Amino acid sequence: TWAACSALLDYPTAELQADLDAIEALAPDAGLGGLLAHLRDHDLRVLQEEYVETFDHTRKCALYLTYFAYGDTRRRGVALVQFKQAYRAGGAQWDEAAEELPDHLCAVLQFGATVDADAAWRLLIDHRAGLEMLRLALAGWERSDGRGIGSPWLGAVVAVCDTLPVLQG
């Protein structure tokens, strides 16, 4: 599920659209059907515009797990170092030339799917509040296509949350 969600929550590309059947096969029962259909049924340029509108222009839909707790403060820098240390302890070295920061949800999910599931699980649990804030923001997202409320990407975030312990209270 984490590998599928990592791919689906990343910036849409032609390669992503070409790989949707393989991605669906990774997590056939994870509730990703709506997002997969959306990615299949829309032109790549439209998907890219929606993605940017959703994740890049709205702070409450940030895919950076530490952003919700720290914003753009110095304390966030310390949290980012902790992500790098978790990757290193799990046997991976964070590429400083990477386009994204180490707390990007797609990076954490890919790390968990391919390198160290336990370390990624701990990172997700430690930043569960941010993940839940993202889920709530996507659930309330007003779609620019006039097709109602809720982002197409909500299904992937819900699928990730479903792999974590049920919240109490």
Side-chain angles (χ1 to χ4, degrees), residues 118-167:
D118 291 337
W121 191 83
R122 284 189 300 277
L123 290 170
L124 291 169
I125 293 298
D126 288 347
H127 297 277
R128 181 70 182 268
L131 190 57
E132 290 298 326
M133 294 295 294
L134 174 60
R135 183 185 61 77
L136 291 171
L138 292 175
W141 182 254
E142 293 186 36
R143 295 177 59 177
S144 61
D145 62 7
R147 294 178 44 204
I149 305 273
S151 167
W153 284 277
L154 173 62
V157 175
V158 169
V160 171
C161 291
D162 287 348
T163 68
L164 303 174
V166 175
L167 290 175

mmCIF file of all heavy atoms in Angstrom, residues 118-167:
data_model
loop_
_atom_site.group_PDB
_atom_site.id
_atom_site.type_symbol
_atom_site.label_atom_id
_atom_site.label_comp_id
_atom_site.label_asym_id
_atom_site.label_seq_id
_atom_site.Cartn_x
_atom_site.Cartn_y
_atom_site.Cartn_z
ATOM 1 N N ASP A 118 9.698 -0.457 9.531
ATOM 2 C CA ASP A 118 9.558 -0.069 10.936
ATOM 3 C C ASP A 118 9.950 1.392 11.154
ATOM 4 O O ASP A 118 9.262 2.122 11.870
ATOM 5 C CB ASP A 118 10.402 -0.978 11.833
ATOM 6 C CG ASP A 118 9.860 -2.399 11.897
ATOM 7 O OD1 ASP A 118 8.648 -2.597 11.642
ATOM 8 O OD2 ASP A 118 10.651 -3.305 12.190
ATOM 9 N N ALA A 119 11.044 1.816 10.554
ATOM 10 C CA ALA A 119 11.479 3.209 10.715
ATOM 11 C C ALA A 119 10.476 4.164 10.077
ATOM 12 O O ALA A 119 10.156 5.212 10.658
ATOM 13 C CB ALA A 119 12.865 3.402 10.107
ATOM 14 N N ALA A 120 9.977 3.817 8.910
ATOM 15 C CA ALA A 120 8.983 4.671 8.259
ATOM 16 C C ALA A 120 7.701 4.718 9.081
ATOM 17 O O ALA A 120 7.084 5.784 9.222
ATOM 18 C CB ALA A 120 8.697 4.165 6.852
ATOM 19 N N TRP A 121 7.307 3.580 9.640
ATOM 20 C CA TRP A 121 6.107 3.518 10.474
ATOM 21 C C TRP A 121 6.244 4.468 11.665
ATOM 22 O O TRP A 121 5.319 5.214 11.986
ATOM 23 C CB TRP A 121 5.891 2.074 10.931
ATOM 24 C CG TRP A 121 4.574 1.813 11.573
ATOM 25 C CD1 TRP A 121 3.391 1.560 10.956
ATOM 26 C CD2 TRP A 121 4.310 1.771 12.990
ATOM 27 N NE1 TRP A 121 2.406 1.365 11.900
ATOM 28 C CE2 TRP A 121 2.940 1.488 13.144
ATOM 29 C CE3 TRP A 121 5.096 1.949 14.115
ATOM 30 C CZ2 TRP A 121 2.343 1.375 14.395
ATOM 31 C CZ3 TRP A 121 4.508 1.846 15.356
ATOM 32 C CH2 TRP A 121 3.146 1.551 15.487
ATOM 33 N N ARG A 122 7.435 4.462 12.288
ATOM 34 C CA ARG A 122 7.669 5.366 13.431
ATOM 35 C C ARG A 122 7.588 6.828 12.996
ATOM 36 O O ARG A 122 7.027 7.668 13.708
ATOM 37 C CB ARG A 122 9.010 5.066 14.091
ATOM 38 C CG ARG A 122 8.991 3.817 14.961
ATOM 39 C CD ARG A 122 10.264 3.642 15.777
ATOM 40 N NE ARG A 122 11.470 3.534 14.971
ATOM 41 C CZ ARG A 122 11.899 2.407 14.399
ATOM 42 N NH1 ARG A 122 11.220 1.298 14.536
ATOM 43 N NH2 ARG A 122 13.016 2.407 13.685
ATOM 44 N N LEU A 123 8.149 7.158 11.819
ATOM 45 C CA LEU A 123 8.065 8.538 11.327
ATOM 46 C C LEU A 123 6.617 8.943 11.085
ATOM 47 O O LEU A 123 6.202 10.055 11.428
ATOM 48 C CB LEU A 123 8.877 8.702 10.037
ATOM 49 C CG LEU A 123 10.394 8.633 10.180
ATOM 50 C CD1 LEU A 123 11.053 8.566 8.802
ATOM 51 C CD2 LEU A 123 10.920 9.825 10.974
ATOM 52 N N LEU A 124 5.845 8.046 10.497
ATOM 53 C CA LEU A 124 4.437 8.348 10.242
ATOM 54 C C LEU A 124 3.665 8.508 11.545
ATOM 55 O O LEU A 124 2.829 9.415 11.671
ATOM 56 C CB LEU A 124 3.810 7.257 9.368
ATOM 57 C CG LEU A 124 4.309 7.204 7.923
ATOM 58 C CD1 LEU A 124 3.818 5.934 7.239
ATOM 59 C CD2 LEU A 124 3.888 8.446 7.149
ATOM 60 N N ILE A 125 3.940 7.645 12.505
ATOM 61 C CA ILE A 125 3.261 7.744 13.808
ATOM 62 C C ILE A 125 3.658 9.047 14.511
ATOM 63 O O ILE A 125 2.810 9.747 15.072
ATOM 64 C CB ILE A 125 3.585 6.521 14.693
ATOM 65 C CG1 ILE A 125 2.996 5.254 14.105
ATOM 66 C CG2 ILE A 125 3.107 6.727 16.125
ATOM 67 C CD1 ILE A 125 1.486 5.234 13.998
ATOM 68 N N ASP A 126 4.936 9.381 14.484
ATOM 69 C CA ASP A 126 5.407 10.601 15.135
ATOM 70 C C ASP A 126 4.783 11.853 14.517
ATOM 71 O O ASP A 126 4.652 12.877 15.192
ATOM 72 C CB ASP A 126 6.930 10.714 15.047
ATOM 73 C CG ASP A 126 7.648 9.732 15.952
ATOM 74 O OD1 ASP A 126 6.989 9.121 16.830
ATOM 75 O OD2 ASP A 126 8.873 9.563 15.774
ATOM 76 N N HIS A 127 4.418 11.767 13.253
ATOM 77 C CA HIS A 127 3.852 12.923 12.551
ATOM 78 C C HIS A 127 2.419 12.642 12.100
ATOM 79 O O HIS A 127 1.941 13.191 11.111
ATOM 80 C CB HIS A 127 4.757 13.310 11.381
ATOM 81 C CG HIS A 127 6.100 13.746 11.848
ATOM 82 N ND1 HIS A 127 6.342 15.028 12.286
ATOM 83 C CD2 HIS A 127 7.253 13.066 12.037
ATOM 84 C CE1 HIS A 127 7.590 15.120 12.695
ATOM 85 N NE2 HIS A 127 8.159 13.949 12.561
ATOM 86 N N ARG A 128 1.748 11.820 12.886
ATOM 87 C CA ARG A 128 0.366 11.435 12.568
ATOM 88 C C ARG A 128 -0.563 12.636 12.552
ATOM 89 O O ARG A 128 -1.488 12.701 11.734
ATOM 90 C CB ARG A 128 -0.110 10.396 13.589
ATOM 91 C CG ARG A 128 -1.531 9.880 13.386
ATOM 92 C CD ARG A 128 -1.617 8.998 12.153
ATOM 93 N NE ARG A 128 -2.946 8.514 11.884
ATOM 94 C CZ ARG A 128 -3.439 7.363 12.325
ATOM 95 N NH1 ARG A 128 -2.724 6.582 13.107
ATOM 96 N NH2 ARG A 128 -4.649 6.992 12.006
ATOM 97 N N ALA A 129 -0.346 13.585 13.425
ATOM 98 C CA ALA A 129 -1.219 14.765 13.447
ATOM 99 C C ALA A 129 -1.169 15.492 12.100
ATOM 100 O O ALA A 129 -2.208 15.902 11.575
ATOM 101 C CB ALA A 129 -0.822 15.702 14.583
ATOM 102 N N GLY A 130 0.014 15.639 11.541
ATOM 103 C CA GLY A 130 0.147 16.281 10.237
ATOM 104 C C GLY A 130 -0.526 15.480 9.146
ATOM 105 O O GLY A 130 -1.183 16.039 8.256
ATOM 106 N N LEU A 131 -0.402 14.178 9.212
ATOM 107 C CA LEU A 131 -1.048 13.309 8.234
ATOM 108 C C LEU A 131 -2.566 13.427 8.333
ATOM 109 O O LEU A 131 -3.273 13.497 7.317
ATOM 110 C CB LEU A 131 -0.592 11.868 8.465
ATOM 111 C CG LEU A 131 -0.953 10.834 7.425
ATOM 112 C CD1 LEU A 131 -0.438 11.222 6.047
ATOM 113 C CD2 LEU A 131 -0.389 9.484 7.833
ATOM 114 N N GLU A 132 -3.078 13.487 9.548
ATOM 115 C CA GLU A 132 -4.527 13.639 9.743
ATOM 116 C C GLU A 132 -5.005 15.025 9.299
ATOM 117 O O GLU A 132 -6.102 15.153 8.741
ATOM 118 C CB GLU A 132 -4.907 13.378 11.199
ATOM 119 C CG GLU A 132 -4.767 11.928 11.603
ATOM 120 C CD GLU A 132 -5.678 10.987 10.822
ATOM 121 O OE1 GLU A 132 -6.813 11.374 10.462
ATOM 122 O OE2 GLU A 132 -5.249 9.851 10.561
ATOM 123 N N MET A 133 -4.196 16.046 9.522
ATOM 124 C CA MET A 133 -4.558 17.391 9.035
ATOM 125 C C MET A 133 -4.628 17.390 7.514
ATOM 126 O O MET A 133 -5.533 18.003 6.925
ATOM 127 C CB MET A 133 -3.553 18.433 9.534
ATOM 128 C CG MET A 133 -3.569 18.645 11.025
ATOM 129 S SD MET A 133 -5.118 19.328 11.627
ATOM 130 C CE MET A 133 -5.075 20.936 10.872
ATOM 131 N N LEU A 134 -3.700 16.723 6.866
ATOM 132 C CA LEU A 134 -3.718 16.600 5.411
ATOM 133 C C LEU A 134 -4.969 15.864 4.967
ATOM 134 O O LEU A 134 -5.650 16.278 4.020
ATOM 135 C CB LEU A 134 -2.458 15.876 4.929
ATOM 136 C CG LEU A 134 -2.395 15.545 3.437
ATOM 137 C CD1 LEU A 134 -2.462 16.805 2.579
ATOM 138 C CD2 LEU A 134 -1.133 14.743 3.131
ATOM 139 N N ARG A 135 -5.305 14.780 5.634
ATOM 140 C CA ARG A 135 -6.503 14.007 5.288
ATOM 141 C C ARG A 135 -7.757 14.875 5.386
ATOM 142 O O ARG A 135 -8.587 14.898 4.483
ATOM 143 C CB ARG A 135 -6.629 12.781 6.198
ATOM 144 C CG ARG A 135 -7.822 11.884 5.840
ATOM 145 C CD ARG A 135 -7.991 10.753 6.844
ATOM 146 N NE ARG A 135 -8.236 11.204 8.191
ATOM 147 C CZ ARG A 135 -9.407 11.673 8.645
ATOM 148 N NH1 ARG A 135 -10.445 11.750 7.849
ATOM 149 N NH2 ARG A 135 -9.526 12.057 9.900
ATOM 150 N N LEU A 136 -7.875 15.618 6.477
ATOM 151 C CA LEU A 136 -9.044 16.489 6.662
ATOM 152 C C LEU A 136 -9.092 17.596 5.610
ATOM 153 O O LEU A 136 -10.169 17.930 5.099
ATOM 154 C CB LEU A 136 -9.038 17.095 8.069
ATOM 155 C CG LEU A 136 -9.294 16.117 9.208
ATOM 156 C CD1 LEU A 136 -9.054 16.791 10.557
ATOM 157 C CD2 LEU A 136 -10.705 15.556 9.122
ATOM 158 N N ALA A 137 -7.948 18.169 5.293
ATOM 159 C CA ALA A 137 -7.903 19.230 4.286
ATOM 160 C C ALA A 137 -8.319 18.692 2.915
ATOM 161 O O ALA A 137 -9.070 19.352 2.187
ATOM 162 C CB ALA A 137 -6.505 19.839 4.218
ATOM 163 N N LEU A 138 -7.850 17.504 2.561
ATOM 164 C CA LEU A 138 -8.214 16.921 1.264
ATOM 165 C C LEU A 138 -9.689 16.533 1.233
ATOM 166 O O LEU A 138 -10.344 16.621 0.192
ATOM 167 C CB LEU A 138 -7.331 15.724 0.944
ATOM 168 C CG LEU A 138 -5.863 16.044 0.675
ATOM 169 C CD1 LEU A 138 -5.068 14.757 0.494
ATOM 170 C CD2 LEU A 138 -5.704 16.947 -0.531
ATOM 171 N N ALA A 139 -10.231 16.102 2.376
ATOM 172 C CA ALA A 139 -11.651 15.743 2.440
ATOM 173 C C ALA A 139 -12.533 16.969 2.205
ATOM 174 O O ALA A 139 -13.608 16.874 1.609
ATOM 175 C CB ALA A 139 -11.977 15.101 3.784
ATOM 176 N N GLY A 140 -12.077 18.127 2.642
ATOM 177 C CA GLY A 140 -12.848 19.353 2.485
ATOM 178 C C GLY A 140 -12.475 20.192 1.274
ATOM 179 O O GLY A 140 -12.992 21.285 1.084
ATOM 180 N N TRP A 141 -11.589 19.661 0.446
ATOM 181 C CA TRP A 141 -11.097 20.401 -0.722
ATOM 182 C C TRP A 141 -12.240 20.675 -1.693
ATOM 183 O O TRP A 141 -12.966 19.779 -2.084
ATOM 184 C CB TRP A 141 -10.000 19.606 -1.413
ATOM 185 C CG TRP A 141 -9.403 20.295 -2.592
ATOM 186 C CD1 TRP A 141 -9.615 19.990 -3.898
ATOM 187 C CD2 TRP A 141 -8.514 21.404 -2.578
ATOM 188 N NE1 TRP A 141 -8.902 20.839 -4.704
ATOM 189 C CE2 TRP A 141 -8.221 21.721 -3.918
ATOM 190 C CE3 TRP A 141 -7.946 22.157 -1.561
ATOM 191 C CZ2 TRP A 141 -7.377 22.752 -4.270
ATOM 192 C CZ3 TRP A 141 -7.109 23.184 -1.915
ATOM 193 C CH2 TRP A 141 -6.821 23.473 -3.237
ATOM 194 N N GLU A 142 -12.402 21.947 -2.078
ATOM 195 C CA GLU A 142 -13.413 22.299 -3.073
ATOM 196 C C GLU A 142 -12.792 22.176 -4.444
ATOM 197 O O GLU A 142 -11.867 22.906 -4.794
ATOM 198 C CB GLU A 142 -13.922 23.716 -2.822
ATOM 199 C CG GLU A 142 -14.693 23.825 -1.523
ATOM 200 C CD GLU A 142 -15.331 25.184 -1.344
ATOM 201 O OE1 GLU A 142 -15.777 25.775 -2.344
ATOM 202 O OE2 GLU A 142 -15.375 25.634 -0.196
ATOM 203 N N ARG A 143 -13.293 21.251 -5.214
ATOM 204 C CA ARG A 143 -12.707 20.927 -6.503
ATOM 205 C C ARG A 143 -12.985 22.024 -7.530
ATOM 206 O O ARG A 143 -14.094 22.506 -7.654
ATOM 207 C CB ARG A 143 -13.224 19.579 -6.976
ATOM 208 C CG ARG A 143 -12.744 18.481 -6.035
ATOM 209 C CD ARG A 143 -13.245 17.148 -6.376
ATOM 210 N NE ARG A 143 -12.846 16.761 -7.717
ATOM 211 C CZ ARG A 143 -13.125 15.594 -8.234
ATOM 212 N NH1 ARG A 143 -13.791 14.710 -7.533
ATOM 213 N NH2 ARG A 143 -12.742 15.299 -9.450
ATOM 214 N N SER A 144 -11.950 22.381 -8.261
ATOM 215 C CA SER A 144 -12.066 23.448 -9.256
ATOM 216 C C SER A 144 -12.878 23.026 -10.470
ATOM 217 O O SER A 144 -13.350 23.865 -11.218
ATOM 218 C CB SER A 144 -10.670 23.903 -9.708
ATOM 219 O OG SER A 144 -9.978 22.832 -10.310
ATOM 220 N N ASP A 145 -13.085 21.707 -10.650
ATOM 221 C CA ASP A 145 -13.873 21.248 -11.800
ATOM 222 C C ASP A 145 -15.370 21.282 -11.513
ATOM 223 O O ASP A 145 -16.176 20.857 -12.331
ATOM 224 C CB ASP A 145 -13.441 19.845 -12.234
ATOM 225 C CG ASP A 145 -13.656 18.786 -11.157
ATOM 226 O OD1 ASP A 145 -14.262 19.081 -10.113
ATOM 227 O OD2 ASP A 145 -13.207 17.651 -11.383
ATOM 228 N N GLY A 146 -15.753 21.782 -10.335
ATOM 229 C CA GLY A 146 -17.158 21.910 -9.993
ATOM 230 C C GLY A 146 -17.826 20.586 -9.642
ATOM 231 O O GLY A 146 -19.047 20.522 -9.544
ATOM 232 N N ARG A 147 -17.041 19.547 -9.443
ATOM 233 C CA ARG A 147 -17.588 18.221 -9.164
ATOM 234 C C ARG A 147 -17.676 17.941 -7.668
ATOM 235 O O ARG A 147 -17.663 16.792 -7.256
ATOM 236 C CB ARG A 147 -16.757 17.151 -9.864
ATOM 237 C CG ARG A 147 -16.866 17.248 -11.371
ATOM 238 C CD ARG A 147 -16.033 16.247 -12.109
ATOM 239 N NE ARG A 147 -16.111 14.929 -11.529
ATOM 240 C CZ ARG A 147 -15.167 14.008 -11.673
ATOM 241 N NH1 ARG A 147 -14.091 14.262 -12.369
ATOM 242 N NH2 ARG A 147 -15.304 12.823 -11.117
ATOM 243 N N GLY A 148 -17.817 18.982 -6.877
ATOM 244 C CA GLY A 148 -18.068 18.781 -5.458
ATOM 245 C C GLY A 148 -16.860 18.973 -4.564
ATOM 246 O O GLY A 148 -15.899 19.622 -4.911
ATOM 247 N N ILE A 149 -16.985 18.386 -3.396
ATOM 248 C CA ILE A 149 -15.991 18.524 -2.344
ATOM 249 C C ILE A 149 -15.172 17.235 -2.265
ATOM 250 O O ILE A 149 -15.697 16.152 -2.426
ATOM 251 C CB ILE A 149 -16.682 18.770 -0.985
ATOM 252 C CG1 ILE A 149 -17.600 19.971 -1.051
ATOM 253 C CG2 ILE A 149 -15.676 18.883 0.137
ATOM 254 C CD1 ILE A 149 -16.970 21.288 -0.783
ATOM 255 N N GLY A 150 -13.910 17.398 -1.964
ATOM 256 C CA GLY A 150 -13.030 16.247 -1.769
ATOM 257 C C GLY A 150 -12.046 16.105 -2.907
ATOM 258 O O GLY A 150 -12.423 16.032 -4.065
ATOM 259 N N SER A 151 -10.770 16.075 -2.566
ATOM 260 C CA SER A 151 -9.718 15.930 -3.562
ATOM 261 C C SER A 151 -9.658 14.502 -4.071
ATOM 262 O O SER A 151 -9.848 13.558 -3.297
ATOM 263 C CB SER A 151 -8.373 16.302 -2.929
ATOM 264 O OG SER A 151 -7.310 15.900 -3.763
ATOM 265 N N PRO A 152 -9.344 14.310 -5.342
ATOM 266 C CA PRO A 152 -9.148 12.951 -5.839
ATOM 267 C C PRO A 152 -8.028 12.220 -5.100
ATOM 268 O O PRO A 152 -8.046 10.992 -5.004
ATOM 269 C CB PRO A 152 -8.766 13.155 -7.305
ATOM 270 C CG PRO A 152 -9.178 14.528 -7.658
ATOM 271 C CD PRO A 152 -9.192 15.312 -6.381
ATOM 272 N N TRP A 153 -7.059 12.954 -4.569
ATOM 273 C CA TRP A 153 -5.916 12.344 -3.880
ATOM 274 C C TRP A 153 -6.252 11.912 -2.450
ATOM 275 O O TRP A 153 -5.443 11.263 -1.789
ATOM 276 C CB TRP A 153 -4.718 13.295 -3.900
ATOM 277 C CG TRP A 153 -4.066 13.326 -5.250
ATOM 278 C CD1 TRP A 153 -3.140 12.439 -5.738
ATOM 279 C CD2 TRP A 153 -4.308 14.265 -6.290
ATOM 280 N NE1 TRP A 153 -2.802 12.776 -7.025
ATOM 281 C CE2 TRP A 153 -3.502 13.893 -7.397
ATOM 282 C CE3 TRP A 153 -5.138 15.374 -6.419
ATOM 283 C CZ2 TRP A 153 -3.491 14.594 -8.598
ATOM 284 C CZ3 TRP A 153 -5.132 16.074 -7.621
ATOM 285 C CH2 TRP A 153 -4.315 15.681 -8.690
ATOM 286 N N LEU A 154 -7.438 12.232 -1.975
ATOM 287 C CA LEU A 154 -7.834 11.844 -0.621
ATOM 288 C C LEU A 154 -7.735 10.338 -0.413
ATOM 289 O O LEU A 154 -7.284 9.887 0.631
ATOM 290 C CB LEU A 154 -9.270 12.322 -0.335
ATOM 291 C CG LEU A 154 -9.890 11.852 0.975
ATOM 292 C CD1 LEU A 154 -9.091 12.373 2.167
ATOM 293 C CD2 LEU A 154 -11.348 12.302 1.044
ATOM 294 N N GLY A 155 -8.119 9.554 -1.393
ATOM 295 C CA GLY A 155 -8.095 8.099 -1.248
ATOM 296 C C GLY A 155 -6.727 7.554 -0.898
ATOM 297 O O GLY A 155 -6.603 6.606 -0.109
ATOM 298 N N ALA A 156 -5.685 8.143 -1.452
ATOM 299 C CA ALA A 156 -4.332 7.676 -1.157
ATOM 300 C C ALA A 156 -3.943 8.005 0.283
ATOM 301 O O ALA A 156 -3.304 7.190 0.965
ATOM 302 C CB ALA A 156 -3.325 8.275 -2.133
ATOM 303 N N VAL A 157 -4.310 9.166 0.761
ATOM 304 C CA VAL A 157 -3.984 9.541 2.146
ATOM 305 C C VAL A 157 -4.787 8.677 3.115
ATOM 306 O O VAL A 157 -4.248 8.217 4.139
ATOM 307 C CB VAL A 157 -4.210 11.050 2.383
ATOM 308 C CG1 VAL A 157 -4.000 11.407 3.850
ATOM 309 C CG2 VAL A 157 -3.274 11.869 1.498
ATOM 310 N N VAL A 158 -6.044 8.425 2.800
ATOM 311 C CA VAL A 158 -6.857 7.544 3.648
ATOM 312 C C VAL A 158 -6.239 6.142 3.673
ATOM 313 O O VAL A 158 -6.168 5.512 4.732
ATOM 314 C CB VAL A 158 -8.319 7.502 3.156
ATOM 315 C CG1 VAL A 158 -9.104 6.394 3.849
ATOM 316 C CG2 VAL A 158 -8.982 8.850 3.383
ATOM 317 N N ALA A 159 -5.779 5.653 2.531
ATOM 318 C CA ALA A 159 -5.154 4.327 2.481
ATOM 319 C C ALA A 159 -3.918 4.273 3.375
ATOM 320 O O ALA A 159 -3.682 3.261 4.052
ATOM 321 C CB ALA A 159 -4.797 3.966 1.043
ATOM 322 N N VAL A 160 -3.129 5.341 3.391
ATOM 323 C CA VAL A 160 -1.960 5.396 4.277
ATOM 324 C C VAL A 160 -2.420 5.379 5.734
ATOM 325 O O VAL A 160 -1.904 4.610 6.555
ATOM 326 C CB VAL A 160 -1.089 6.634 3.998
ATOM 327 C CG1 VAL A 160 -0.010 6.797 5.062
ATOM 328 C CG2 VAL A 160 -0.466 6.554 2.609
ATOM 329 N N CYS A 161 -3.392 6.218 6.066
ATOM 330 C CA CYS A 161 -3.901 6.268 7.443
ATOM 331 C C CYS A 161 -4.448 4.919 7.877
ATOM 332 O O CYS A 161 -4.314 4.531 9.040
ATOM 333 C CB CYS A 161 -4.973 7.348 7.575
ATOM 334 S SG CYS A 161 -4.346 9.034 7.432
ATOM 335 N N ASP A 162 -5.040 4.188 6.942
ATOM 336 C CA ASP A 162 -5.590 2.869 7.269
ATOM 337 C C ASP A 162 -4.515 1.841 7.606
ATOM 338 O O ASP A 162 -4.831 0.798 8.174
ATOM 339 C CB ASP A 162 -6.458 2.351 6.114
ATOM 340 C CG ASP A 162 -7.793 3.067 6.006
ATOM 341 O OD1 ASP A 162 -8.165 3.803 6.948
ATOM 342 O OD2 ASP A 162 -8.467 2.887 4.963
ATOM 343 N N THR A 163 -3.253 2.114 7.265
ATOM 344 C CA THR A 163 -2.172 1.190 7.620
ATOM 345 C C THR A 163 -1.629 1.473 9.019
ATOM 346 O O THR A 163 -0.783 0.718 9.503
ATOM 347 C CB THR A 163 -0.990 1.288 6.612
ATOM 348 O OG1 THR A 163 -0.352 2.572 6.738
ATOM 349 C CG2 THR A 163 -1.451 1.048 5.189
ATOM 350 N N LEU A 164 -2.108 2.529 9.640
ATOM 351 C CA LEU A 164 -1.636 2.940 10.963
ATOM 352 C C LEU A 164 -2.675 2.575 12.018
ATOM 353 O O LEU A 164 -3.835 2.323 11.685
ATOM 354 C CB LEU A 164 -1.360 4.447 10.957
ATOM 355 C CG LEU A 164 -0.361 4.923 9.911
ATOM 356 C CD1 LEU A 164 -0.278 6.443 9.898
ATOM 357 C CD2 LEU A 164 1.010 4.304 10.130
ATOM 358 N N PRO A 165 -2.292 2.568 13.287
ATOM 359 C CA PRO A 165 -3.270 2.251 14.340
ATOM 360 C C PRO A 165 -4.439 3.220 14.323
ATOM 361 O O PRO A 165 -4.293 4.404 13.984
ATOM 362 C CB PRO A 165 -2.455 2.418 15.623
ATOM 363 C CG PRO A 165 -1.033 2.328 15.235
ATOM 364 C CD PRO A 165 -0.957 2.834 13.827
ATOM 365 N N VAL A 166 -5.595 2.725 14.704
ATOM 366 C CA VAL A 166 -6.786 3.559 14.781
ATOM 367 C C VAL A 166 -6.575 4.609 15.863
ATOM 368 O O VAL A 166 -6.054 4.309 16.942
ATOM 369 C CB VAL A 166 -8.021 2.690 15.123
ATOM 370 C CG1 VAL A 166 -9.255 3.543 15.326
ATOM 371 C CG2 VAL A 166 -8.245 1.657 14.024
ATOM 372 N N LEU A 167 -6.948 5.834 15.540
ATOM 373 C CA LEU A 167 -6.802 6.924 16.524
ATOM 374 C C LEU A 167 -7.848 6.767 17.629
ATOM 375 O O LEU A 167 -8.989 6.395 17.360
ATOM 376 C CB LEU A 167 -6.985 8.273 15.843
ATOM 377 C CG LEU A 167 -5.866 8.679 14.890
ATOM 378 C CD1 LEU A 167 -6.231 9.995 14.194
ATOM 379 C CD2 LEU A 167 -4.561 8.839 15.640
#
